[in-house]
Amino acid sequence: MNVNVVKTVPVTYLMVVEAYRKVKQGGKAAGIDGESWTDFEKKDVERELYVIWNRMASGSYFPQAVREIEIPKKDGKTRKLGIPTIRDRIAQQVIKKYMEQRVDEHFHPNSYGYRPLKSSKEAIDQVRKNCLESDWVIDMDISKFFDEIDHELMLKAVDAMGLESWVRMYVQRWLEMKVVKADGTVQDRGNKGTPQGGVISPLLANLFLHYGLDKWLEKDYRQTKFVRYADDAVVHCKNKEEAEQILSAIKARMQEIGLRLNETKTKIVYCKDYRRKQNHEQVQFGFLGFSYQPRQIQSNGNRFMGFTAEISKDNQTKIRESIKETVNWRNTMQKIEQIAAQLDSKLRGWINYFGLYSKRNLQRTMFYLEEKLVKWLSKKHKQGIMKSVQQLQKVRLQKPGMFYHWEKGYC
């Protein structure tokens, strides 16, 4: 197969192969063509990738429409996701990596989301540190961000980074992809939005808000600290008056760039603790699955009120629901080792993430798993609860690494 043909766009066959390997690790949902990864790999994969490369390198690659699905949100509403085809995911990954290598170094250090050398853990820790230094927080919520991104401004952001015209061309094509709704109707994007669910969408979101928010805050409010993870942002202020003034300015800025804040979710929060004793209605906000609020803290034998981060109530509920649904607890024929295997990756993820800070509520959530295990043992062996508790304790002493929460002391 000849991959040395001169093309007008500097996309190589190797770039396509690497992109394929990357996106294969991601989402499994099929696009509008209904093709799954299993279907794709039944074909001659090398030839399929060659076709993608050939079209991308000649500038003749055009994406298909995205398949829209709706995911329930905790407020009862739904979040719309646009699922690209497998070929479009591969093509988007090619351009995403090419762009990332050229633009990421220009992004603001306070931007943490979907960046190669940044993480959600760093963002969470930075918010915690900022709350110790600043008394007030603006908890921002941008309404329907991915749906409302202005295409013209998005392309101006691409141009401002000095990216090549062929990159701009492909970005524009992905922005303009039509949407196939659940009932089969085809909808034009109307010069707005980038499908949440697309491989390249998080990078485009960062690029849009780099100019739309980060650089603007840096220019007009240089002394103000903020943390942004994609479209989730918090701004730290010294006093209430400053918070009110900056929030008013942010609302105006959002309007300038075709966005708006969700008035019901955006709020000014007072970081109340043993030093901060003003009265204010809002003393709690959420960020990346953590709840920041006043809590009793014990240090060196002393108890005091601190403003700290801990797993949110919503995520405690989600974990309990996942434990309930992942295992068939009515199946008394399975072994406890099988239950541990089913939950292992989930337990590791929850504990390694939510165990970053105060462990109290996470321990309480893990106790739900202990209760499920005790009840399962009781049914399996047709015995009382106390005997099942003793049996579980014996198993834990014999095999403390069987469950990850045992190994880490969350029981």
Side-chain angles (χ1 to χ4, degrees):
M1 185 177 294
N2 183 7
V3 295
N4 296 313
V5 180
V6 176
K7 296 290 185 178
T8 58
V9 172
V11 170
T12 67
Y13 179 71
L14 180 60
M15 290 164 67
V16 175
V17 172
E18 290 176 346
Y20 156 70
R21 291 172 179 163
K22 176 69 175 178
V23 298
K24 186 182 173 183
Q25 302 168 18
K28 306 299 181 184
I32 60 165
D33 58 1
E35 185 177 47
S36 67
W37 280 110
T38 302
D39 298 330
F40 183 82
E41 292 181 339
K42 284 179 180 177
K43 301 176 180 178
D44 183 341
V45 173
E46 186 176 352
R47 175 169 177 74
E48 296 297 323
L49 298 181
Y50 179 85
V51 172
I52 294 171
W53 165 73
N54 191 49
R55 290 175 180 171
M56 290 194 75
S58 64
S60 62
Y61 185 92
F62 284 87
Q64 293 182 267
V66 296
R67 180 173 70 89
E68 185 178 89
I69 62 174
E70 295 187 354
I71 305 297
K73 295 168 66 175
K74 61 185 179 182
D75 61 3
K77 298 180 181 179
T78 59
R79 175 182 290 109
K80 295 178 180 178
L81 299 183
I83 308 299
T85 64
I86 285 175
R87 288 164 179 75
D88 285 336
R89 275 178 252 183
I90 294 169
Q92 285 187 31
Q93 175 61 29
V94 170
I95 304 302
K96 173 182 177 288
K97 184 174 180 181
Y98 186 89
M99 289 178 65
E100 208 166 51
Q101 292 170 339
R102 288 153 181 80
V103 306
D104 188 77
E105 64 180 354
H106 300 293
F107 285 160
H108 199 284
N110 292 349
S111 169
Y112 292 86
Y114 305 103
R115 297 183 59 189
L117 300 178
K118 295 278 192 175
S119 71
S120 57
K121 292 182 180 180
E122 290 178 300
I124 293 160
D125 189 52
Q126 190 59 57
V127 170
R128 186 181 65 88
K129 290 176 181 176
N130 290 349
C131 286
L132 292 175
E133 298 174 5
S134 301
D135 294 0
W136 296 82
V137 162
I138 300 171
D139 180 19
M140 285 178 53
D141 187 278
I142 303 175
S143 181
K144 299 180 180 179
F145 170 67
F146 283 89
D147 294 334
E148 298 295 329
I149 288 177
D150 182 275
H151 288 181
E152 184 178 348
L153 292 179
M154 183 74 258
L155 293 171
K156 283 184 178 179
V158 173
D159 294 338
M161 282 290 181
L163 293 164
E164 297 94 325
S165 58
W166 64 268
V167 174
R168 188 186 197 277
M169 173 187 72
Y170 278 127
V171 169
Q172 185 169 2
R173 288 179 187 176
W174 280 309
L175 289 174
E176 294 174 351
M177 285 189 298
K178 295 184 184 298
V179 177
V180 177
K181 304 185 80 64
D183 62 3
T185 58
V186 180
Q187 179 178 300
D188 191 274
R189 300 204 69 86
N191 297 317
K192 289 197 306 182
T194 177
Q196 193 171 358
V199 173
I200 203 169
S201 293
L203 176 60
L204 297 182
N206 271 339
L207 184 53
F208 190 90
L209 287 177
H210 170 71
Y211 291 108
L213 181 66
D214 303 352
K215 296 294 287 183
W216 173 78
L217 281 170
E218 183 181 58
K219 175 178 175 292
D220 290 6
Y221 299 94
R222 182 172 293 274
Q223 302 305 315
T224 300
K225 294 181 179 180
F226 70 94
V227 174
R228 182 174 66 77
Y229 193 94
D231 61 326
D232 198 355
V234 292
V235 181
H236 302 267
C237 305
K238 295 178 181 178
N239 52 59
K240 186 178 180 181
E241 291 72 24
E242 181 183 61
E244 290 173 340
Q245 191 272 322
I246 293 178
L247 177 55
S248 178
I250 289 173
K251 289 179 181 179
R253 176 58 178 173
M254 290 297 104
Q255 191 170 12
E256 285 179 13
I257 60 174
L259 299 174
R260 60 186 177 86
L261 296 183
N262 185 322
E263 296 287 348
T264 60
K265 293 183 178 180
T266 297
K267 57 189 177 184
I268 293 175
V269 177
Y270 182 48
C271 303
K272 192 170 186 175
D273 60 16
Y274 74 97
R275 303 166 299 156
R276 301 160 173 160
K277 299 181 179 179
Q278 292 185 40
N279 291 321
H280 185 71
E281 182 181 3
Q282 299 288 353
V283 293
Q284 179 273 334
F285 69 94
F287 184 69
L288 299 183
F290 284 82
S291 173
Y292 293 75
Q293 64 188 71
R295 303 179 199 275
Q296 285 290 330
I297 296 175
Q298 185 166 337
S299 178
N300 299 321
N302 298 316
R303 293 181 66 83
F304 60 93
M305 184 68 73
F307 192 87
T308 63
E310 193 165 1
I311 181 174
S312 68
K313 288 183 179 180
D314 286 337
N315 280 292
Q316 292 174 52
T317 300
K318 287 179 182 178
I319 289 174
R320 287 192 290 269
E321 289 175 348
S322 183
I323 290 170
K324 182 179 178 180
E325 294 170 1
T326 300
V327 177
N328 181 1
W329 294 101
R330 289 179 292 184
N331 179 7
T332 55
M333 299 300 292
Q334 63 186 327
K335 296 180 179 180
I336 192 170
E337 289 85 356
Q338 292 173 300
I339 294 176
Q342 292 173 65
L343 291 171
D344 184 66
S345 62
K346 291 179 180 290
L347 289 171
R348 289 177 183 273
W350 294 328
I351 290 171
N352 291 336
Y353 186 74
F354 292 113
L356 282 171
Y357 303 112
S358 177
K359 300 179 179 180
R360 180 180 52 190
N361 285 330
L362 184 56
Q363 284 177 318
R364 290 173 179 169
T365 307
M366 290 297 103
F367 185 69
Y368 175 77
L369 173 55
E370 294 293 289
E371 291 178 328
K372 296 294 287 185
L373 287 168
V374 167
K375 291 178 181 178
W376 174 79
L377 283 170
S378 182
K379 291 178 182 178
K380 181 179 179 68
H381 298 290
K382 297 180 175 61
Q383 62 191 20
I385 293 295
M386 287 308 300
K387 191 170 183 179
S388 296
V389 169
Q390 292 169 359
Q391 185 178 356
L392 188 62
Q393 288 174 339
K394 185 178 179 180
V395 174
R396 186 164 63 240
L397 289 172
Q398 292 174 342
K399 299 180 179 179
M402 180 183 292
F403 286 89
Y404 193 66
H405 72 295
W406 289 359
E407 182 181 332
K408 294 297 181 179
Y410 282 83
C411 57

